[in-house]
């Protein structure tokens, strides 16, 4: 699965003294290749960040947002005052404008920059997962260990995530 396959590569890099790496899906496209430089420099200058993710844009222009984790208080506030979601999103936008980044619970797993020292401390991805929910689990591990998951929307990539346009070729031989 996705988690176990990535862990094999991440552990190999860690054993060979690499400090940072990137994981990205093969359907990622770039408008500008400097995405790697920006994310790499951010990781190097912020040792508390375990994972960093750029803004992920779908071919139709829609942004695949980072995941939120609501605590009981936030969930109650959302149910009691539906407008609180608008306020929370506004606060995040202001935070991004002021800081250039926002600490998130987790983000779409199609493109990550990783600090391998932190990944080793939190024991990498949960290998029980096959393809889904690994983002939330790794986000929880970072949170519980006191490390950050950062979303850096000033750089972006296109996630050409379109199942309908992927041809299936059954003629394997």
């Amino acid at each position: 699965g996705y988690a176990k396959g990535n862990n094999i590569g991440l552990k190999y890099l860690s054993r060979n003294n690499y400090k940072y790496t990137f994981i990205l899906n093969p359907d990622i496209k770039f408008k500008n290749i400097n995405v790697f430089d920006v994310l790499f420099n951010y990781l190097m200058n912020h040792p508390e960040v375990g994972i960093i993710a750029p803004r992920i844009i779908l071919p139709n222009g829609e942004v695949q947002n980072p995941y939120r984790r609501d605590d009981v208080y936030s969930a109650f506030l959302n149910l009691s005052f539906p407008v609180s979601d608008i306020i929370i999103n506004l606060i995040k936008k202001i935070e991004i404008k002021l800081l250039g980044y926002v600490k998130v619970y987790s983000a779409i797993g199609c493109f990550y920059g990783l600090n391998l020292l932190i990944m080793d401390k939190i024991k990498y991805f949960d290998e029980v997962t096959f393809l889904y929910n690994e983002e939330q689990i790794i986000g929880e591990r970072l949170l519980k260990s006191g490390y950050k998951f950062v979303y850096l929307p000033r750089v972006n990539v296109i996630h050409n995530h379109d199942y309908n346009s992927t041809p299936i070729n059954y003629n394997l031989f």
Side-chain angles (χ1 to χ4, degrees):
Y2 177 84
K4 188 170 185 173
N6 280 324
N7 284 351
I8 290 168
L10 295 173
K11 289 174 184 177
Y12 172 83
L13 292 172
S14 192
R15 280 192 311 271
N16 287 283
N17 300 316
Y18 288 87
K19 294 181 181 175
Y20 309 98
T21 193
F22 292 92
I23 295 176
L24 56 146
N25 289 6
D27 58 355
I28 294 295
K29 296 187 181 210
F30 300 91
K31 287 184 177 181
N32 191 329
I33 199 73
N34 79 340
V35 169
F36 291 102
D37 291 335
V38 173
L39 297 178
F40 175 70
N41 286 326
Y42 194 93
L43 281 171
M44 282 183 33
N45 292 310
H46 296 89
E48 74 283 2
V49 175
I51 301 177
I52 190 166
R55 180 183 306 212
I56 308 295
I57 302 172
L58 294 172
N60 66 4
E62 181 183 330
V63 175
Q64 286 185 296
N65 292 328
Y67 297 113
R68 262 187 31 209
R69 176 181 178 257
D70 288 338
D71 54 27
V72 174
Y73 176 75
S74 298
F76 175 75
L77 191 62
N78 266 341
L79 288 173
S80 303
F81 306 100
V83 76
S84 67
D85 227 13
I86 295 168
I87 294 168
I88 290 168
N89 288 332
L90 181 61
I91 291 168
K92 294 281 185 200
K93 286 181 182 181
I94 292 169
E95 188 176 18
I96 289 169
K97 289 278 187 202
L98 293 175
L99 302 174
Y101 74 93
V102 64
K103 182 182 168 210
V104 296
Y105 177 63
S106 187
I108 303 296
C110 63
F111 191 115
Y112 283 164
L114 302 108
N115 178 324
L116 290 171
L117 296 172
I118 292 174
M119 292 301 292
D120 188 54
K121 288 178 184 176
I122 65 169
K123 306 300 180 210
Y124 303 93
F125 289 99
D126 186 342
E127 294 185 6
V128 173
T129 64
F130 181 76
L131 185 59
Y132 296 106
N133 298 318
E134 72 280 348
E135 296 103 336
Q136 292 88 347
I137 295 169
I138 202 80
E140 189 69 21
R141 287 181 176 183
L142 286 168
L143 183 68
K144 285 185 176 178
S145 299
Y147 296 109
K148 293 181 181 178
F149 198 124
V150 169
Y151 173 63
L152 197 66
R154 67 183 157 114
V155 292
N156 57 66
V157 296
I158 298 166
H159 187 197
N160 196 27
H161 193 57
D162 184 7
Y163 296 114
N164 296 329
S165 68
T166 306
I168 299 174
N169 185 354
Y170 293 105
N171 298 324
L172 300 176
F173 301 102

